């Protein structure tokens, strides 16, 4: 299993990034909460990773903090929660917010995430509650680091909509959320994605 990657951040196309290690480029899917904290393109980057092998694909998921990967691994153990849904959950809220949802039995906030219906939300609360004590102490560190550099030269609105669709939102939902969140003060697609996601999970 590939547990950690350290290399140069070569490309960002949310929710996927490319990290070059010794001349080999690794395509890694990351949650938006990690994307917001990426360094500038060309900078060295270290990620904790989770490797998934399927019959039709080999997928690598990356996280800046080990506790985020630990939470991801706990999530995919929940019945009917796969890596794609776990990534969407961690994109819609950070680790602290998820812990808070579990502690407060907040079904309403979970069902606002893409792919999470009421049944899945209730299952998450029940199954994660028993696991919460094992890793809640790991969730006390505040995020560090700055936001990533703007992605390429493509239109930031198109980039944001594409990222939301990749996370499981319907195109119409993504377009509406991005349009509502967009304003002249936003210079980076990552910021537009963050604002759109925040509005969709309120």
């Amino acid at each position: 299993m590939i547990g950690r990657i350290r290399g140069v951040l070569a490309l960002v196309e949310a929710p996927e990034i490319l990290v070059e290690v010794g001349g080999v480029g690794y395509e890694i899917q990351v949650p938006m909460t990690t994307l917001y904290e990426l360094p500038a393109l060309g900078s060295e980057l270290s990620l904790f990773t989770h490797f998934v092998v399927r019959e039709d694909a080999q997928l690598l998921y990356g996280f800046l903090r080990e506790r985020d990967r630990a939470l991801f691994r706990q999530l995919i153990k929940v019945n009917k929660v796969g890596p794609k849904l776990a990534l969407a959950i961690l994109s819609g809220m950070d680790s602290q917010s998820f812990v808070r949802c579990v502690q407060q039995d907040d079904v309403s906030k979970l069902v606002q995430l893409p792919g999470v219906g009421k049944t899945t939300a209730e299952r998450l609360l029940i199954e994660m509650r028993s696991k919460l004590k094992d890793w809640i102490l790991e969730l006390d560190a505040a995020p560090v680091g700055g936001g990533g550099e703007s992605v390429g030269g493509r239109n930031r609105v198109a980039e944001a909509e594409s990222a939301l669709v990749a996370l499981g939102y319907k195109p119409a939902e993504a377009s509406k959320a991005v349009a509502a969140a967009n304003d002249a003060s936003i210079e980076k697609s990552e910021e537009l994605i963050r604002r759109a996601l925040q509005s969709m999970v309120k």
Side-chain angles (χ1 to χ4, degrees):
M1 178 179 289
I2 302 173
R4 190 167 186 173
I5 290 285
R6 185 171 67 185
V8 175
L9 180 62
L11 182 67
V12 178
E13 289 189 350
E16 190 170 88
I17 65 175
L18 183 72
V19 178
E20 186 172 328
V21 183
V24 178
Y26 290 87
E27 295 177 343
I28 305 173
Q29 295 188 46
V30 299
M32 292 300 161
T33 46
T34 287
L35 188 82
Y36 304 147
E37 300 180 47
L38 293 177
L41 292 176
S43 299
E44 185 171 284
L45 172 69
S46 180
L47 293 172
F48 293 96
T49 58
H50 180 80
F51 187 46
V52 174
V53 178
R54 303 188 326 213
E55 290 184 3
D56 59 342
Q58 296 184 25
L59 304 171
L60 199 58
Y61 298 88
F63 310 88
L64 284 175
R65 288 172 292 276
E66 190 171 12
R67 63 189 174 89
D68 292 333
R69 182 181 64 178
L71 179 54
F72 176 84
R73 287 176 168 174
Q74 293 289 359
L75 284 169
I76 60 177
K77 292 177 182 178
V78 176
N79 188 30
K80 296 186 179 180
V81 176
K84 184 176 181 180
L85 181 54
L87 202 70
I89 291 170
L90 291 176
S91 291
M93 61 176 62
D94 59 21
S95 301
Q96 293 281 11
S97 298
F98 182 81
V99 171
R100 199 172 299 114
C101 281
V102 174
Q103 289 175 325
Q104 299 175 355
D105 286 329
D106 194 345
V107 173
S108 61
K109 184 162 288 188
L110 289 177
V111 297
Q112 294 176 45
L113 298 170
V116 180
K118 185 177 180 181
T119 301
T120 300
E122 291 173 344
R123 185 183 303 117
L124 280 167
L125 293 177
I126 292 171
E127 295 193 30
M128 291 302 294
R129 191 180 300 118
S130 63
K131 301 178 175 69
L132 187 60
K133 294 179 181 178
D134 296 334
W135 45 264
I136 190 170
L137 294 178
E138 300 175 10
L139 305 178
D140 56 0
V144 294
E149 189 174 82
S150 183
V151 183
R154 295 188 298 151
N155 183 280
R156 70 172 186 268
V157 171
E159 292 171 2
E161 291 179 357
S162 176
L164 292 179
V165 170
L167 288 171
Y169 289 101
K170 295 178 181 179
E173 292 176 332
S175 179
K176 183 178 179 180
V178 170
N182 192 24
D183 64 46
S185 68
I186 300 177
E187 298 181 355
K188 300 178 181 179
S189 59
E190 291 90 337
E191 174 65 15
L192 182 54
I193 294 167
R194 184 181 67 80
R195 291 193 188 184
L197 277 170
Q198 286 179 338
S199 69
M200 296 174 87
V201 298
K202 283 183 179 178

